[in-house]
Amino acid sequence: MSSLSIAGHEIRRLLRDRALPVLCGLLVVLAAYAAWNGSAWVGQREAAIALIKTEQQDTQDRSRGFVGKAPSVLPRVQPVLPPGAMATLSIGQADAYPYTADVVALGDQTQLLRHVWSDIGNPAAQAAGRFDLAFVIVFLLPLVILAATFDLWSRERERGIAALVLSQPTAVGRLIAVKALTRGVVVLLPAAMIITAVAAGSGAARPAGLAVLALIVFAYGSFWLALAVLIACFARRTTEAAIAAGALWLLIVVMAPSLALAAVNLRVPPPSQMQLATNVKAQLAETARHQSLRHSTQPPVPRSPSPRIPDAVRVAFADLVMADQALAPMIAAHAQAEDVRRRALDRMRLLLPSVAVQDALDRLAGSDADRALAFQHQVLAFWQARRLLHKAYLDRDAPQTLAEYDALPRFAFQETAGVLQRGVLADLAALAVSTLILLIAAWSMRRRLAIH
């Protein structure tokens, strides 16, 4: 029996099965709704960003009239993190971190992102979330694949024709491999085409991004095909195979991410944002008390001739810098604790295929934690640059001019990673390793296939 005849038989068998068109039709409907949902979310986010930009421009126009009346006029700036080019694909963690900030040059660092202090990198949030295309891929695509492949060998066993099939001149391992590949191609290829086409129609039409999306779908689908082969080595009845497939889907997609999060929480508890806020307030109050005491005991010495910008302004700026220095160790310790936890979560995701796929889709869509952190780092750098501008006016003892005000730098988020970034490659590598482990396990159990 040749591989071609085996593949032809499987194709005819699948085409006669009325469930396959129903599954494909259901996938089209769900994918279309998910894409619409993602597109609607992107539209809402872009509308909110447009309002923020309008408000920021109004603030800048109003502040222009104060130029020359103070050492510097550095109006409040609200940097924004725009949706990525493939944002409709996966909303991911975009709701869990701030997409805007409040940059007040003479404010403190803890107020930059005060609206949202969130926990980034949660695998439970990666494995579940809004109904978007990523949800369809992570949760529903495995069900479609398992529905078409769970009975690779159990039906022959159950009908008592396994011995007849094995009497043909073909190895049982090759037989199952060809059956699995044929079913996988018949099911996975249309599914990948549906998902890619729907993603392109929703606005995620970047060619390189669509190619990576198809690669992720095929890699994830290959994992579930390998799992179906392993089930075939053990299940002797169709009902057993169906129950095993459903139980493994529940374990891998639903339970494992939650259990992994619980394990990480026990090993590396998340740092308390409330405790940080309390400590910051206490430190600022203590610093203000020391500064007030110092000013009362050591009043500034008047200079002659008097500077154009009063020394009291320089003293106030020095107090701000001193407060920043007092807060720096506390903020750094909190950030380090968050980084340790985030690294633990990143390592854990490589052991969980569903979370690895969600992470890859988030990175492709630009709704991942690394992009959010890059935004926060760029906001911090922008705030520090605004402070240095104020200091420059004090150092030269000359107020800001209208030309300098009009030339104030604007914030623009700089993308730090491409479509096929290192994180996506790591996720794909983790999927490949998981698939290879399943195939090795199935190969070692191939003798069980000959047991009728």
Side-chain angles (χ1 to χ4, degrees):
M1 186 183 298
S2 66
S3 298
L4 189 60
S5 62
I6 297 172
H9 173 74
E10 288 299 314
I11 291 175
R12 289 190 296 271
R13 179 176 169 181
L14 283 174
L15 293 179
R16 286 196 303 266
D17 191 348
R18 295 181 180 180
L20 183 60
V22 173
L23 286 175
C24 290
L26 184 61
L27 185 63
V28 170
V29 173
L30 293 176
Y33 172 72
W36 174 84
N37 203 16
S39 180
W41 177 87
V42 171
Q44 294 170 0
R45 178 59 58 90
E46 289 177 343
I49 288 176
L51 290 175
I52 290 172
K53 290 182 176 180
T54 300
E55 179 185 354
Q56 179 177 298
Q57 186 61 49
D58 291 343
T59 300
Q60 186 169 352
D61 293 341
R62 290 195 305 269
S63 300
R64 196 173 188 274
F66 296 95
V67 175
K69 301 177 183 178
S72 68
V73 177
L74 302 171
R76 170 183 177 234
V77 177
Q78 294 177 272
V80 292
L81 176 63
M86 302 283 292
T88 58
L89 174 63
S90 176
I91 298 171
Q93 300 180 74
D95 286 334
Y97 53 75
Y99 67 96
T100 183
D102 283 322
V103 176
V104 179
L106 302 184
D108 64 81
Q109 180 180 341
T110 61
Q111 300 300 305
L112 292 175
L113 302 164
R114 67 177 183 271
H115 293 306
V116 181
W117 272 352
S118 57
D119 179 27
I120 300 177
N122 186 331
Q126 290 179 322
R130 292 174 180 257
F131 195 92
D132 51 16
L133 274 173
F135 182 91
V136 172
I137 294 170
V138 174
F139 280 79
L140 304 184
L141 180 62
L143 292 176
V144 174
I145 295 174
L146 290 175
T149 58
F150 74 95
D151 60 344
L152 276 176
W153 191 234
S154 59
R155 182 175 297 185
E156 284 80 357
R157 282 174 165 173
E158 196 171 47
R159 292 181 177 180
I161 61 174
L164 178 61
V165 174
L166 292 178
S167 66
Q168 303 296 320
T170 182
V172 65
R174 182 169 69 89
L175 174 66
I176 299 301
V178 173
K179 286 165 67 70
L181 286 175
T182 303
R183 294 195 189 190
V185 170
V186 172
V187 175
L188 190 54
L189 186 59
M193 293 175 63
I194 291 170
I195 291 171
T196 304
V198 169
S202 68
R206 190 175 180 182
L210 293 176
V212 175
L213 171 60
L215 181 61
I216 294 172
V217 171
F218 276 110
Y220 193 45
S222 299
F223 169 82
W224 290 100
L225 283 175
L227 189 64
V229 173
L230 186 60
I231 292 173
C233 295
F234 294 93
R236 303 191 65 180
R237 293 180 176 83
T238 303
T239 52
E240 292 177 1
I243 292 173
L248 288 172
W249 175 87
L250 186 66
L251 174 63
I252 294 172
V253 177
V254 179
M255 295 179 61
S258 298
L259 294 174
L261 177 60
V264 173
N265 284 340
L266 288 175
R267 184 175 179 83
V268 188
S272 173
Q273 300 286 3
M274 183 177 296
Q275 185 63 45
L276 174 63
T278 302
N279 293 340
V280 165
K281 290 179 181 178
Q283 183 61 57
L284 287 175
E286 182 67 14
T287 301
R289 188 179 68 82
H290 281 294
Q291 289 173 347
S292 177
L293 181 62
R294 188 181 72 253
H295 294 331
S296 62
T297 57
Q298 301 176 0
V301 179
R303 290 193 292 168
S304 182
S306 298
R308 295 180 61 187
I309 299 177
D311 281 335
V313 178
R314 294 179 178 81
V315 171
F317 182 76
D319 288 346
L320 287 176
V321 174
M322 185 180 298
D324 288 343
Q325 292 172 347
L327 293 177
M330 188 184 308
I331 295 174
H334 184 84
Q336 184 178 6
E338 286 186 328
D339 288 341
V340 170
R341 175 177 166 78
R342 194 173 296 115
R343 286 194 295 270
L345 293 170
D346 281 343
R347 289 192 295 269
M348 185 66 72
R349 89 177 194 273
L350 299 178
L351 303 177
L352 306 171
S354 60
V355 178
V357 170
Q358 181 71 61
D359 180 76
L361 294 172
D362 287 351
R363 292 177 185 274
L364 182 60
S367 58
D368 58 297
D370 287 346
R371 188 169 184 261
L373 292 174
F375 169 70
Q376 295 180 21
H377 293 156
Q378 292 180 28
V379 166
L380 179 58
F382 183 77
W383 171 75
Q384 292 171 338
R386 302 282 279 195
R387 281 209 161 188
L388 290 177
L389 279 176
H390 181 76
K391 183 176 182 299
Y393 301 137
L394 299 182
D395 290 343
R396 77 183 188 187
D397 195 28
Q400 179 187 33
T401 65
L402 278 174
E404 290 171 335
Y405 180 83
D406 293 334
L408 284 175
R410 305 286 183 102
F411 179 89
F413 176 71
Q414 302 296 321
E415 297 288 352
T416 57
V419 172
L420 198 60
Q421 52 187 280
R422 185 172 61 180
V424 174
L425 292 175
D427 292 325
L428 290 173
L431 277 176
V433 170
S434 299
T435 303
L436 183 60
I437 291 174
L438 291 178
L439 292 176
I440 292 174
W443 177 257
S444 66
M445 299 293 178
R446 67 188 182 279
R447 289 185 178 86
R448 296 180 60 92
L449 294 168
I451 300 175
H452 312 316

